[in-house]
Amino acid sequence: MTVSQGREPLHGRVPELDAIGDLLGRARDGRGGALAIVADAGLGRTALLDEAARRAAPDVRTIGASGVARESAVPYAGLHRLLRPLADDVARLPDEHRAALAAVRGGPGRAEPFALYAALCELLALASRDGPLLCRVDDAQWLDEVSLDALAFAARRVQDLPVAVLLAARDDHRVADRLAGIPRLRLGPLDEDASLRVLRDAIGDAVGGPLADAIVDLADGCPRAIRDLAAALTPGQLSGAAAPPRALPPGSPLRALHRSRYLRLPPGARRLVLVVVADEWVGAGTLDRAASAAGIGASDVEAARESGLLRYETDAVTVRDRLVRSSLWADATRAERTAAHALLAEVLVHDWQYTGRIWHRAAMTGGTDDVAAAELARAAVASQGSGRYADSWRMWQRASALTADRALAADRLLSAAADAWASGRPRRARPAQRRLAAFRCEGDRAARA
């Protein structure tokens, strides 16, 4: 499905658009409601708000505001921006409600919370008497607490009014608590088909085949990432002469966001995050040993957990997604990467972690290591023979990276692609297949590829 949304069509959001359309329809019928659109940066919260405003016109009046990080500590800043178009309606309120809203308009003193909340509800009711009203707020995580609490209070009480409230925010614990009781519309990643359509919108038919697959795989369903990657493609990448991008471009706001989240962490937490980035998947026990070996305290461990950069599962820790991993690894210095590999080589102590240990030891040098590659290949064969393809494909891939002989490296990379496919991970198989282009395979090797 494609929905016209200014210059950039909106793809792959059928359920979300249906929910917004239903909300606006109820407001037109005098039975309003609210939705909280929750997603991380780049997944299209603002695009959905823009589409809601387009669908509201011309019979639904729209007011809106966006949270601003620099104003998040300024009481009433969000309400001040949102309610300015309703100045004439404020003047028509009873004295007690006007008095409660005086601080929002720059008056002296601070309003008692319930009086402010009640006055806001009355204002929305008054403003919607002449026709339905859409109140849309973007980046609600940056609203000051007074404004966010007041808006959430009102949003939970518009069911009998021709008022629709849309609050878009990042997936943040503080915001989630304050928006409790408001139906949640959580945006997930786009599927592959929608991602390809976003890419075609960004760059037309100039990109396709392996390059398009590489961008879609790396973007991991994030439309903003697809557009950032497409905008930074070089002529060599477009022609196939150069390798596809392996990370967001340095100027990408998303890459800067991931980097800023990382840099806000204390040093110990940063080191733990980079350890997980270096391996993609780290057992909980291994991470505990890493923290102990590096002298990382409990507060830093908790900071890493709360950073939003990692995903904690029952017995393992992974990087949240491929965009985070590629961005943080691309921005890491050589010394930081080496330190992460060294710490993992030290704490992967169990027999079953042997292949990971030799891989990280070899990765510390940054070059080829045929002895380590051969050991990894033997372990891959053993895993392959017992049907553990989820292990063998990763071993083959690492063995290929450490192999000096190009023909043997190509064979090992082919084995990695085949075993990734056999393990049910076709998206992991594709990057290995694309890297084979650099080996210029012929004959049987080309047929296998």
Side-chain angles (χ1 to χ4, degrees):
M1 176 179 177
T2 302
V3 179
S4 176
Q5 190 259 324
R7 298 180 184 176
E8 297 172 352
L10 195 59
H11 297 293
R13 297 301 187 195
V14 175
E16 294 85 353
L17 290 170
D18 286 347
I20 289 172
D22 182 60
L23 178 69
L24 291 172
R26 295 200 309 272
R28 288 183 171 103
D29 292 338
R31 299 175 291 105
L35 284 173
I37 303 172
V38 178
D40 207 351
L43 286 176
R45 299 188 315 262
T46 302
L48 280 175
L49 290 180
D50 290 343
E51 179 61 20
R54 189 193 69 81
R55 290 185 172 203
D59 59 318
V60 179
R61 181 184 182 187
T62 298
I63 60 172
S66 294
V68 177
R70 288 182 177 273
E71 297 181 4
S72 60
V74 180
Y76 310 111
L79 284 176
H80 182 264
R81 286 192 299 278
L82 181 70
L83 301 183
R84 289 185 70 182
L86 303 184
D88 291 343
D89 297 294
V90 172
R92 295 159 53 198
L93 287 171
D95 291 345
E96 64 272 20
H97 294 318
R98 286 204 313 274
L101 289 170
V104 177
R105 306 179 70 193
R110 297 188 64 165
E112 190 274 326
F114 184 77
L116 174 65
Y117 302 166
L120 178 59
C121 289
E122 291 301 315
L123 177 60
L124 294 178
L126 181 61
S128 63
R129 284 182 184 174
D130 297 329
L133 178 71
L134 168 63
C135 173
R136 49 162 281 180
V137 176
D138 201 2
D139 283 328
Q141 75 278 357
W142 295 126
L143 287 180
D144 60 282
E145 291 187 357
V146 176
S147 294
L148 183 57
D149 286 342
L151 283 167
F153 181 94
R156 290 188 283 263
R157 289 163 173 80
V158 295
Q159 293 86 351
D160 297 323
L161 298 173
V163 176
V165 181
L166 285 173
L167 301 167
R170 288 185 192 164
D171 200 353
D172 179 281
H173 294 306
R174 181 185 71 89
V175 175
D177 290 343
R178 286 186 150 77
L179 299 185
I182 298 173
R184 199 71 56 90
L185 192 62
R186 188 177 296 279
L187 298 188
L190 297 178
D191 63 23
E192 186 171 331
D193 180 64
S195 295
L196 286 169
R197 282 183 280 161
V198 172
L199 181 59
R200 282 197 296 271
D201 288 341
I203 205 166
D205 295 328
V207 59
L211 179 58
D213 287 342
I215 292 172
V216 168
D217 285 348
L218 178 58
D220 210 17
C222 178
R224 177 61 183 269
I226 295 170
R227 290 191 287 269
D228 287 352
L229 288 163
L233 289 173
T234 66
Q237 288 170 328
L238 287 167
S239 68
R246 300 186 66 177
L248 288 165
S252 164
L254 281 177
R255 178 162 163 177
L257 173 64
H258 299 324
R259 180 68 173 167
S260 68
R261 286 176 173 174
Y262 174 77
L263 291 177
R264 284 198 299 268
L265 296 173
R270 292 202 299 268
R271 191 167 185 193
L272 273 188
V273 168
L274 211 56
V275 161
V276 182
V277 168
D279 206 281
E280 295 187 70
W281 183 101
V282 177
T286 299
L287 200 63
D288 288 342
R289 289 194 298 276
S292 178
I296 298 170
S299 62
D300 282 8
V301 172
E302 185 61 23
R305 176 185 286 273
E306 296 296 322
S307 68
L309 299 171
L310 304 178
R311 180 179 291 114
Y312 283 74
E313 301 169 359
T314 304
D315 59 352
V317 184
T318 63
V319 186
R320 196 190 67 206
D321 57 44
R322 284 189 287 278
L323 280 176
V324 170
R325 181 175 191 269
S326 59
S327 296
L328 295 186
W329 199 245
D331 285 328
T333 65
R334 174 69 179 274
E336 288 171 331
R337 295 181 186 184
T338 300
H341 286 305
L343 185 54
L344 280 164
E346 178 184 349
V347 298
L348 293 172
V349 295
H350 298 295
D351 290 344
W352 57 271
Q353 295 175 317
Y354 171 70
T355 56
R357 189 161 63 248
I358 62 173
W359 156 249
H360 286 292
R361 284 175 180 167
M364 289 165 60
T365 68
T368 59
D369 186 330
D370 286 326
V371 174
E375 291 187 67
L376 285 165
R378 282 193 293 271
V381 170
S383 295
Q384 195 179 51
S386 60
R388 291 185 289 113
Y389 298 110
D391 295 328
S392 62
W393 77 263
R394 186 178 284 108
M395 296 174 193
W396 282 124
Q397 181 172 269
R398 290 173 168 180
S400 174
L402 295 174
T403 302
D405 181 87
R406 289 182 62 76
L408 184 55
D411 286 337
R412 288 169 173 171
L413 194 55
L414 272 168
S415 295
D419 285 5
W421 193 277
S423 73
R425 293 170 172 81
R427 279 198 168 188
R428 295 294 192 178
R430 292 173 189 165
Q433 288 178 294
R434 287 193 294 270
R435 286 199 292 275
L436 282 165
F439 292 92
R440 303 189 184 280
C441 299
E442 298 178 351
D444 291 344
R445 213 171 269 121
R448 284 183 64 199

